[in-house]
Amino acid sequence: MEGLKRTPLYDEHKNLGARLVDFAGYEMPVQYSGIKTEHEAVRTRAGLFDVSHMGEAVFRGPEAEAAVQRLVTRDVGRLEVGQAGYSAVCYEDGGTVDDVIVYRREDDFLVVVNASNREKDLAHFRENTEDLDVEVADESDEWALLALQGPEAAKLLQDLTDTELSDLKPFRFAWGEIGGAEAIISRTGYTGEDGFEIYLPGGDAPQVWRTLIEAGATPAGLGARDTLRLEAGMCLYGNELDAETTPLEAGISFAVHLDKEQEFIGQAALKEEKEKGLRKKLVGFEMEGRGIARHDHQVTVNDEMVGHVTSGTKSPTLDRAIGLALVDSGVEDRFDVVIRDNPVPAKAVPLPFYKRDRG
Amino acid sequence: MNVPDDLKYTKSHEWVRTEGDTATIGITDHAQDELGDIVFVELPEEGATFDAGESFGSVESVKAVSDLYTPLGGEVVEVNSALEDAPEKINEDPYGEGWIVKLRTSEEAELLSPEEYEKVVEEES
């Protein structure tokens, strides 16, 4: 595939016989052994993803915190050093620029962005902080990112690092050594399972990747990553979130601190939206009739269009057709999804579709 | 890649087995492999009629939907309803238990020989 970027793990994917596709300008593995098998490995044991295509923006300087506060919807002043937070980035009108993870490090902030939004985000970050004493560095090409996810992830990783993983609570991170490589080990993920995201220099990535696979992790591709995150009810930018959808509508108000003292871009619009009431809402649903809902299928009630499916699949864990839809806020629990011109009944269900047993 | 000698093929990766005026249609081993885990099959109604080149249903894998096309016009005399509960049969046995539909047809279609189909696949990859 010409003109596509490759992650430092490209040769590993080739050797494992991965099926590679263009994703956000990168040649990425969509599957190795098969989406269902990989999905199940993550739900029951441990899976390993290459997500090095994700973008890393680092905010440095005396006003780094002020810059990040202005850009993201979460109050990052409440984050301790070593703590990370999921957040949205909004336009003035409340529409979503991206959803990101903000890491508060000792001397700076690391903001991890979606690969498909990297250039847009960096431009947005810089344009809106020109008056502040902050440097916004794009370090995306320097970092590889591995996601080790699943109920056995902690046990597997603990054998390879001296960092005490039981001290690392969800959304906490620490520098550590894995197989001789220095890495940021973060207890975060995008699968609904316990697990870690491991940031390390690109040159060290192949060796750590191989070590984790030898220790028993199953390589998993973007296909399984998508079915896993959908079962966990997590948003994907471009599906549930976009410039026309606010984080409140997309159901991630837990990442929006409307009462934040230092104003963030979009705060006024989101406050007004909350006061006036949302125009649309994100709902989880299951198909009742035969068929699988897919991204962009219409949602109707009595043949009237009331929204659209943002993501849909056959859930490997539940063995049912599930999906997320953005619908008018007045829509109740029953609606139809139009699949190939046929309205097929669906019913709203609570999110997430899948929640791990925390023992 | 498994391309049985006794079948005919289409450029859109269906196989056809003709016995008298009945044509059995399925998708090829190559097609199921490209799609990955098949999780849903949309079958036509028995008695429905289709023209040559028309879509008569679809197969869906976890990630993708793929339309099915009949190279021959005719009437659906039987559908493999076992696929409704076990669509993975198409992955496991694409030329056997994974057959999709049987048409009654009087048409003679221009179908690909196994050798010609193998070339189509090679050119695509």
Side-chain angles (χ1 to χ4, degrees):
Chain A
M1 285 180 263
E2 279 175 43
L4 292 180
K5 290 191 273 191
R6 293 172 175 177
T7 78
L9 295 164
Y10 175 81
D11 289 339
E12 304 300 319
H13 304 324
K14 274 281 185 201
N15 291 339
L16 288 165
R19 184 163 297 162
L20 297 163
V21 296
D22 174 5
F23 185 84
Y26 283 83
E27 209 170 338
M28 296 299 290
V30 66
Q31 66 170 61
Y32 303 83
S33 53
I35 293 174
K36 282 165 82 171
T37 313
E38 294 163 26
H39 182 108
E40 194 187 315
V42 174
R43 287 275 178 259
T44 57
R45 299 185 303 279
L48 183 63
F49 302 83
D50 174 16
V51 282
S52 302
H53 59 308
M54 300 289 283
E56 286 88 10
V58 178
F59 289 69
R60 290 191 182 89
E63 292 182 300
E65 181 170 343
V68 177
Q69 284 288 42
R70 183 186 290 177
L71 292 166
V72 309
T73 58
R74 174 176 289 273
D75 185 354
V76 299
R78 298 189 211 168
L79 294 178
E80 294 168 22
V81 171
Q83 193 177 10
Y86 176 66
S87 182
V89 178
C90 287
Y91 295 105
E92 286 291 355
D93 68 1
T96 310
V97 179
D98 202 358
D99 61 335
V100 302
I101 305 264
V102 180
Y103 290 82
R104 184 179 196 126
R105 303 194 295 193
E106 202 148 342
D107 302 314
D108 57 27
F109 288 84
L110 166 65
V111 178
V112 178
V113 306
N114 280 299
S116 53
N117 290 335
R118 170 180 164 186
E119 279 160 33
K120 176 186 79 176
D121 285 1
L122 264 295
H124 177 87
F125 294 164
R126 287 174 179 146
E127 276 164 25
N128 287 289
T129 56
E130 274 175 352
D131 58 316
L132 297 176
D133 189 0
V134 61
E135 182 214 357
V136 186
D138 182 354
E139 297 190 356
S140 307
D141 292 336
E142 294 161 39
W143 293 94
L145 177 53
L146 310 184
L148 178 69
Q149 301 279 303
E152 292 179 6
K155 188 167 154 280
L156 195 154
L157 186 60
Q158 190 63 80
D159 288 343
L160 305 169
T161 181
D162 289 336
T163 303
E164 189 47 63
L165 298 178
S166 59
D167 292 344
L168 214 54
K169 303 296 175 204
F171 282 93
R172 299 281 172 163
F173 64 96
W175 279 97
E177 206 178 286
I178 303 173
E182 287 287 317
I184 296 175
I185 305 171
S186 166
R187 198 153 204 157
T188 47
Y190 194 49
T191 60
E193 296 299 332
D194 184 25
F196 302 88
E197 293 179 298
I198 301 162
Y199 298 81
L200 71 176
D204 293 331
Q207 170 224 327
V208 173
W209 170 270
R210 286 194 293 267
T211 303
L212 289 168
I213 288 175
E214 280 160 22
T218 301
L222 295 181
R225 186 168 160 85
D226 192 49
T227 51
L228 288 158
R229 72 91 196 165
L230 182 51
E231 285 183 350
M234 293 170 165
C235 290
L236 172 63
Y237 191 89
N239 287 29
E240 285 71 39
L241 289 164
D242 56 34
E244 275 74 51
T245 307
T246 72
L248 303 183
E249 291 165 338
I252 55 166
S253 53
F254 61 87
V256 180
H257 293 149
L258 283 178
D259 57 350
K260 188 160 123 179
E261 272 179 36
Q262 191 186 340
E263 200 180 331
F264 65 84
I265 297 168
Q267 189 170 7
L270 294 178
K271 273 185 172 168
E272 191 186 331
E273 183 185 37
K274 195 183 176 194
E275 280 159 23
K276 287 188 174 168
L278 304 180
R279 285 164 305 160
K280 53 183 179 178
K281 63 178 178 183
L282 192 77
V283 292
F285 65 85
E286 278 180 18
M287 298 305 298
E288 295 197 296
R290 279 178 52 78
I292 299 172
R294 299 286 183 182
H295 178 63
D296 272 348
H297 283 171
Q298 287 188 7
V299 176
T300 60
V301 172
N302 298 328
D303 294 328
E304 222 166 284
M305 173 144 160
V306 296
H308 71 279
V309 174
T310 53
S311 297
T313 195
K314 175 90 171 276
S315 159
T317 306
L318 308 172
D319 200 30
R320 289 197 287 270
I322 60 167
L324 297 170
L326 271 171
V327 297
D328 297 343
S329 48
V331 170
E332 291 178 5
D333 286 352
R334 302 271 160 174
F335 44 81
D336 294 322
V337 174
V338 183
I339 301 176
R340 297 161 65 90
D341 297 329
N342 290 317
V344 180
K347 67 165 185 208
V349 296
L351 290 171
F353 301 101
Y354 166 85
K355 199 165 189 181
R356 77 184 143 103
D357 181 2
R358 283 163 200 262
Chain B
M1 184 177 58
N2 180 7
V3 181
D5 286 342
D6 58 339
L7 301 176
K8 298 282 192 183
Y9 299 88
T10 70
K11 282 184 183 168
S12 48
H13 307 285
E14 289 89 6
W15 56 261
V16 181
R17 176 183 290 123
T18 315
E19 289 155 310
D21 63 354
T22 304
T24 306
I25 301 173
I27 67 168
T28 64
D29 184 41
H30 172 73
Q32 70 77 21
D33 186 52
E34 284 289 307
L35 280 164
D37 298 318
I38 291 169
V39 293
F40 187 75
V41 183
E42 187 191 12
L43 298 167
E45 301 276 334
E46 286 178 11
T49 58
F50 294 95
D51 293 331
E54 209 178 334
S55 167
F56 65 88
S58 64
V59 290
E60 292 195 49
S61 63
V62 178
K63 285 305 289 177
V65 186
S66 183
D67 283 319
L68 298 165
Y69 298 97
T70 173
L72 306 146
E75 182 191 342
V76 177
V77 290
E78 196 179 345
V79 298
N80 187 359
S81 48
L83 297 177
E84 291 187 356
D85 289 327
E88 65 274 10
K89 283 181 193 290
I90 294 179
N91 293 116
E92 290 160 5
D93 189 9
Y95 300 111
E97 284 190 47
W99 68 274
I100 297 170
V101 71
K102 289 184 182 174
L103 294 182
R104 185 181 299 126
T105 181
S106 53
E107 291 185 14
E108 296 270 333
E110 294 238 346
L111 294 166
L112 304 176
S113 68
E115 295 75 25
E116 288 167 331
Y117 178 66
E118 279 175 7
K119 273 195 196 124
V120 167
V121 173
E122 275 166 32
E123 280 163 15
E124 279 184 10
S125 59

